[in-house]
Amino acid sequence: MAFGLVGWSTALYFSSDYNLVSGSEAIMAGGRPRSFDSDTALDRALEVFWRQGYEGTGISDLTKAMGINNAPSLYNAFGNKEQLFSKVLDRYADGPARYIREAFDQPTARAAVETLLHGAADATTDPDRPRGCITVQGALACSPGTEAVREELAARRAAGETALRERLRRARSDGELPAGTDPEGLARYFATIYQGIAVQAAGGASRQQLHGIVDTAMTVWPQRADA
Amino acid sequence: MAFGLVGWSTALYFSSDYNLVSGSEAIMAGGRPRSFDSDTALDRALEVFWRQGYEGTGISDLTKAMGINNAPSLYNAFGNKEQLFSKVLDRYADGPARYIREAFDQPTARAAVETLLHGAADATTDPDRPRGCITVQGALACSPGTEAVREELAARRAAGETALRERLRRARSDGELPAGTDPEGLARYFATIYQGIAVQAAGGASRQQLHGIVDTAMTVWPQRADA
DNA sequence: ATAGTTTTTTAGCACACGATAAAAAACACC
DNA sequence: GGTGTTTTTTATCGTGTGCTAAAAAACTAT
């Protein structure tokens, strides 16, 4: 009874979009095969959204870049423009922005922040990719009909800031940071640096210049009294 | 002869757009009077562009907000969308962003930077205006057809950074900053803070939080050895 | 071969975009 | 009151937007 209900409701949920690409490639039971690879298509879509922003990107820009001939194939595979953008953001986090999560693997908070910011300097000036950061320039300001996208990007930025704050909190507990340190304020400061670097990169600043900014920014790091 | 030629060519130049609003109100010789005030109309246009960005703003959004009934009146008064945006940016610099130029009136470079950044914290969170900074969020990323606007904004940001660099250079000459100070790098750092603050404000950070960021950012200020 | 499933293709929807030609309206000057 | 000038109004233009219904095509399983 319970199993039946659960199974039924689950099937009902998936039936609305089980042919959509979610994580890795979906298992297909028969039917005409896709003429394109979903992951590389997402990479192409990422590049366009990254360069042109959400509102600056048209469906035709996407299909052209993704190697999809017609709009219906795109809608069939990825849902509407907004859903596609979300999938693109996930792929961004797992691809070009993977360095962010990896920075938190550093043994000390200071090394984590340094790795994060120098990684940003590199990632936002990668010659093989668009300048800047899609999370910042994807939709900083937009028309009322795109508010949801703007808010999703703001939420993703906030999530990064939260992770940073928690890492700094832990560093204070561990004694890496002085007891008087304000983790919230410090995390906000480094998030501001991060986002400022994204704007600088979008404006044409060189990789070397951005690394210099990071070096300057790191000088605010609180020193322990006994150091 | 010379006067005639000059007068003629001047008239020719102005004849293409002498009815456009440039700085203050144009002197009109006869003709049907404007049904709207150009400066307040520009203020309304500024608000829309500020909130929605260049590409997120439609002509109909503008006419509605500016109190202009029909598109031709807008085109007649301000030229096309791109020209209107330029005039709006000028009005922004003389209005809500006036604090930027005024910050340079401070007696010391340090006071100038402090005034500039705390001014940014206030201006980007003014409850009576859109969040953030139009120079940053107006067109960070855009479609290929809007590249000129993106570049104009980048140029305006670069101009601010240049002014800051020159002020810091002077401070080094004056002895306010140590001889070993790098004015370019320091100016880039503070410009990054400024732009990061704009992103933070667009994302919903409070005024108080932004002032805290500024206080943290100012701790990098180089100390003289004899201080 | 047939049936079932999925994708692609074809064609087009309703609407919004930036921008403009032509005419009507409202003023100044004489 | 007429003339000249400028703005507003009316009615679009051509193009692009995000999106979709319906049919054809390409596969799997039987």
Side-chain angles (χ1 to χ4, degrees):
Chain A
M1 209 59 154
F3 277 115
L5 193 63
V6 168
W8 183 70
S9 73
T10 310
L12 196 70
Y13 171 77
F14 279 123
S15 73
S16 64
D17 60 348
Y18 71 105
N19 57 333
L20 261 54
V21 175
S22 43
S24 53
E25 208 64 24
I27 317 102
M28 188 179 55
R32 180 168 176 170
R34 286 250 164 83
S35 64
F36 57 91
D37 178 65
S38 298
D39 282 339
T40 62
L42 277 179
D43 284 336
R44 302 275 172 78
L46 167 59
E47 165 140 358
V48 181
F49 275 131
W50 193 342
R51 178 169 284 115
Q52 303 185 192
Y54 182 80
E55 288 195 318
T57 300
I59 300 292
S60 64
D61 295 326
L62 293 166
T63 54
K64 210 170 300 174
M66 296 165 88
I68 300 176
N69 283 330
N70 308 291
S73 291
L74 185 148
Y75 285 94
N76 177 61
F78 303 104
N80 65 17
K81 187 184 176 186
E82 193 175 326
Q83 294 172 305
L84 169 60
F85 188 67
S86 265
K87 296 189 207 315
V88 159
L89 291 180
D90 291 337
R91 186 136 181 97
Y92 177 71
D94 288 344
R98 170 184 289 273
Y99 73 95
I100 296 175
R101 230 179 308 134
E102 288 174 351
F104 287 92
D105 296 337
Q106 292 291 325
T108 65
R110 169 153 196 159
V113 172
E114 273 175 346
T115 304
L116 175 69
L117 295 182
H118 283 295
D122 287 332
T124 58
T125 58
D126 187 333
D128 294 336
R129 300 192 184 276
R131 291 230 146 209
C133 169
I134 192 177
T135 304
V136 170
Q137 71 207 25
L140 248 198
C142 60
S143 66
T146 314
E147 276 291 292
V149 172
R150 209 206 54 171
E151 284 167 8
E152 170 163 9
L153 288 173
R156 291 191 184 233
R157 292 196 304 269
E161 191 176 312
T162 298
L164 189 54
R165 188 217 309 146
E166 293 310 312
R167 182 66 189 85
L168 295 177
R169 239 199 266 277
R170 184 157 72 87
R172 190 180 56 177
S173 302
D174 295 348
E176 183 191 345
L177 283 169
T181 302
D182 170 26
E184 292 88 355
L186 205 54
R188 209 144 40 216
Y189 165 78
F190 286 120
T192 302
I193 294 290
Y194 184 94
Q195 292 153 8
I197 282 174
V199 176
Q200 285 281 324
S206 76
R207 176 171 290 190
Q208 179 188 343
Q209 289 170 341
L210 298 187
H211 283 296
I213 292 168
V214 174
D215 291 336
T216 303
M218 287 304 299
T219 64
V220 315
W221 193 268
Q223 299 295 326
R224 287 190 309 175
D226 61 338
Chain B
M1 208 58 154
F3 276 114
L5 193 63
V6 169
W8 183 69
S9 75
T10 310
L12 197 70
Y13 171 77
F14 279 122
S15 72
S16 64
D17 61 348
Y18 72 106
N19 56 335
L20 261 56
V21 175
S22 44
S24 53
E25 208 65 23
I27 317 104
M28 188 178 54
R32 179 168 176 170
R34 286 250 164 80
S35 64
F36 57 91
D37 179 63
S38 297
D39 282 340
T40 62
L42 278 179
D43 284 337
R44 303 275 172 78
L46 167 59
E47 165 139 359
V48 181
F49 275 131
W50 193 343
R51 177 169 284 114
Q52 303 185 192
Y54 182 79
E55 287 195 319
T57 301
I59 299 292
S60 64
D61 295 326
L62 292 166
T63 53
K64 210 171 300 175
M66 296 165 87
I68 300 176
N69 284 331
N70 308 292
S73 292
L74 185 148
Y75 285 94
N76 177 59
F78 303 104
N80 65 18
K81 187 184 176 185
E82 193 174 327
Q83 294 171 306
L84 169 60
F85 188 67
S86 265
K87 296 190 207 314
V88 159
L89 290 181
D90 290 338
R91 185 132 182 102
Y92 177 71
D94 288 344
R98 170 184 289 271
Y99 73 94
I100 296 174
R101 231 178 307 134
E102 288 174 350
F104 287 93
D105 296 337
Q106 293 291 325
T108 65
R110 169 153 196 159
V113 172
E114 273 175 346
T115 305
L116 175 70
L117 295 182
H118 283 295
D122 287 333
T124 57
T125 57
D126 187 332
D128 294 336
R129 300 193 183 277
R131 290 228 145 210
C133 169
I134 191 176
T135 304
V136 171
Q137 72 206 27
L140 248 198
C142 61
S143 66
T146 314
E147 275 292 292
V149 172
R150 210 206 54 172
E151 285 166 9
E152 171 163 9
L153 287 172
R156 292 193 184 230
R157 292 197 302 270
E161 190 175 312
T162 297
L164 189 54
R165 188 218 308 147
E166 293 309 312
R167 183 67 189 85
L168 294 178
R169 239 199 265 277
R170 185 157 71 86
R172 189 180 57 177
S173 302
D174 294 350
E176 183 191 346
L177 283 170
T181 303
D182 170 26
E184 291 89 357
L186 205 55
R188 209 143 40 216
Y189 166 78
F190 285 120
T192 302
I193 294 290
Y194 184 93
Q195 292 153 8
I197 283 174
V199 176
Q200 284 282 325
S206 76
R207 176 172 288 191
Q208 178 188 343
Q209 289 169 339
L210 299 187
H211 283 295
I213 292 168
V214 175
D215 291 336
T216 302
M218 287 305 298
T219 63
V220 314
W221 192 268
Q223 299 294 327
R224 287 190 309 174
D226 61 339

